[in-house]
Amino acid sequence: MTQRIKILPKHIAFIMDGNGRWATKRGLARYYGHKEGIKAVERTMLGCKNFGIEYCTFFAFSTENWRRGEDEINGIFELLRDYLNQNKDFFIKNQIKVNYIGVLDPFPEDLKSALLSIVDKTKNIEGLTVTFALNYGGRDDIIRAVNKLLQNNTKQTNEKDFLAILDTKDMPEPDFVVRTSGEQRISNFLLFQMAYSELYFPKIYWPSFNERQLEKCLLEYQKRNRRFGGVNK
Ligand code: IPE
Ligand code: IPE
Ligand code: MG
């Protein structure tokens, strides 16, 4: 792998945007954009593995994506289910631990069981942890955490304890958040956890994302001067 990358983000998170536009531009139904999008996820997971990144998170379905048409939603679920069922060995072979954040309850049983089976099969793997954000919303994550505190009659909390009850409790906060497609917004992703993330908005649509694009993102990350409110030494 390239020698040019010296500082790696420990955790990189992707807001995978532009599947629909990728397809529309080619005269295809949006479904085919999602289909290609899954291939880009696979390329990106392997790329992260090659670069030695420890945590990689993909925003796959937001709490607001239920506003889309039923056909599109069902198409996304089927693609995800089939991908997970057909690639069980891929995660083992490449030593990728699979995790999820968000609330799975409203998803079809076959998708839930495909996902939970891979989460279980890969739970002891050390190396790259890939997390899929499914029916995930940053606000929902915070509200569910607050409700946990209320249920336990907790009178006071602090940042460290609060982070430990969010869906992302088992991973570090994202160092680097990349949103494809040129849109420059967060769309209710990891709101609390992104307080000091570096943000990057490459213009390409998600289905065109590949290892070369990942390298470009990582080169961009090198240039950032993370100060966390302090001053340069
Ligand atoms: C991202 O691509 C995939 C999901 C949100 C599930 P979009 O489907 O949002 O694609 P555009 O933004 O309409 O092009
Ligand atoms: C954000 O993309 C959500 C995911 C990538 C899953 P959207 O396409 O849903 O976001 P908006 O509607 O453009 O903000
Ligand atoms: Mg979009």
Side-chain angles (χ1 to χ4, degrees):
M1 205 39 64
T2 177
Q3 295 300 304
R4 289 183 291 166
I5 312 283
K6 291 202 173 70
I7 311 159
L8 277 179
K10 200 175 166 107
H11 180 183
I12 181 166
F14 294 95
I15 302 177
M16 310 184 278
D17 199 17
N19 290 356
R21 278 164 284 171
W22 181 93
T24 306
K25 212 175 99 181
R26 287 163 177 77
L28 300 168
R30 294 175 60 84
Y31 172 86
Y32 293 97
H34 298 310
K35 195 169 178 189
E36 260 334 280
I38 290 188
K39 294 186 195 160
V41 172
E42 184 161 301
R43 291 193 291 270
T44 307
M45 289 191 288
L46 291 175
C48 285
K49 180 93 198 169
N50 286 339
F51 279 108
I53 287 168
E54 289 175 58
Y55 296 88
C56 169
T57 298
F58 295 101
F59 200 6
F61 196 86
S62 77
T63 46
E64 287 71 38
N65 285 146
W66 297 102
R67 293 177 185 154
R68 298 184 181 205
E70 209 179 311
D71 281 357
E72 178 169 355
I73 292 177
N74 289 336
I76 293 173
F77 294 168
E78 279 168 27
L79 285 166
L80 267 171
R81 178 202 62 199
D82 291 350
Y83 177 76
L84 294 171
N85 279 331
Q86 287 158 17
N87 290 280
K88 285 198 170 91
D89 298 337
F90 168 87
F91 295 97
I92 315 271
K93 192 177 128 219
N94 292 292
Q95 288 291 287
I96 296 171
K97 178 175 175 161
V98 180
N99 201 352
Y100 72 88
I101 53 173
V103 178
L104 297 188
D105 299 346
F107 289 123
E109 288 304 322
D110 54 2
L111 171 56
K112 275 192 271 191
S113 56
L115 175 71
L116 293 174
S117 142
I118 292 205
V119 169
D120 188 57
K121 277 198 168 68
T122 61
K123 64 176 187 274
N124 296 320
I125 292 177
E126 284 172 32
L128 173 65
T129 298
V130 164
T131 301
F132 294 102
L134 290 160
N135 188 25
Y136 180 85
R139 288 185 170 185
D140 186 59
D141 195 1
I142 293 167
I143 295 293
R144 282 185 286 110
V146 170
N147 281 330
K148 270 180 218 159
L149 296 175
L150 294 173
Q151 271 153 22
N152 296 332
N153 290 317
T154 310
K155 296 281 178 293
Q156 226 180 353
T157 188
N158 56 51
E159 290 186 16
K160 188 169 161 279
D161 291 349
F162 195 73
L163 278 164
I165 54 167
L166 291 171
D167 286 353
T168 46
K169 56 186 177 302
D170 298 323
M171 56 182 120
E173 292 158 56
D175 302 292
F176 195 28
V177 176
V178 174
R179 182 179 186 142
T180 54
S181 92
E183 307 292 355
Q184 301 190 14
R185 56 177 171 263
I186 302 306
S187 299
N188 196 17
F189 196 28
L190 300 159
L191 298 181
F192 195 85
Q193 299 89 333
M194 278 173 60
Y196 262 105
S197 304
E198 295 298 324
L199 309 177
Y200 184 45
F201 302 98
K203 289 209 168 59
I204 64 157
Y205 296 141
W206 177 254
S208 304
F209 202 82
N210 56 28
E211 194 159 347
R212 174 79 197 101
Q213 296 292 330
L214 176 64
E215 186 181 23
K216 265 170 97 175
C217 294
L218 295 174
L219 287 168
E220 171 64 29
Y221 184 74
Q222 310 302 292
K223 298 187 206 149
R224 304 295 178 92
N225 184 356
R226 303 188 75 188
R227 288 190 287 274
F228 299 98
V231 286
N232 285 334
K233 282 190 204 114

